[in-house]
Amino acid sequence: MPKSLRLLLLLGLLAVIALPVSASSTTYSNRATFLAALSSSFTDDYENPNYMFIQNDAQMTAVEGQTAYMSTGFSNLDIVFNDVGSNHSYCAGCNGSFILNFTNTTFGTPGVGVFGVGFDIVDVNQGYFATVFLGNGMEEQYALPPAGSFWGITNPALINHICFGLPNCGATTSLSFALDNLTIGTP
């Protein structure tokens, strides 16, 4: 084999080795299967009496301290409401978009994120998306399933934050979405 061809093959091999590897996400429609993928987890059922019906992002974040909340359709409008009986759920104005950030939690890697995020969907309009931002800088987008469903995601690259709203993290004040039993966890 000519020396120039060997050099070209070696350079090609080095280029392939240097390419970043994208860890793929796994999505879940069943809470038990999702929880089985986690070694430790925290679930916020929104029953903490320190939650108020209407609060700002800082107050919402401070109650459990595991997830940072930021409403994006409405400014600082986080709502914890009774959905059925005395069960409570979370929404951002109940027709607004929001971001959940997982970089400052005891169930993940500080500054990077958590391995898994899952929740029960209480209410959702068609057209509501989850744009997932990973710890490696990649992002993924998912249309959310209907109300009454569970949706979860795990990724070895860790989940930094998730935007809920229009595609590509678009803000909205016209689509309803509410969640309950937000679970985050480690692999």
Side-chain angles (χ1 to χ4, degrees), residues 22-38 114-119 130 132 134 140-142 150-159 162 183 185 187:
S22 174
S24 62
S25 292
T26 302
T27 57
Y28 302 83
S29 59
N30 178 282
R31 178 174 286 281
T33 306
F34 170 73
L35 290 172
L38 307 177
V114 296
F115 173 69
V117 177
F119 50 85
V132 180
L134 303 172
E140 302 170 343
Q141 188 164 270
Y142 300 91
F150 173 83
W151 187 81
I153 184 169
T154 57
N155 191 300
L158 304 184
I159 299 158
I162 303 176
T183 302

Side-chain angles (χ1 to χ4, degrees), residues 21-23 132-140:
V21 177
S22 174
V132 180
F133 291 82
L134 303 172
N136 63 5
M138 305 287 284
E139 67 181 74
E140 302 170 343

Side-chain angles (χ1 to χ4, degrees), residues 3 8 12 15-16 52 65 88 104 107 118 122 126 139 149 151 183 187:
K3 188 176 182 178
L8 186 59
V16 169
M52 296 176 280
H88 292 85
N104 189 24
F107 290 87
V122 175
Q126 186 176 1
E139 67 181 74
S149 301
W151 187 81
T183 302

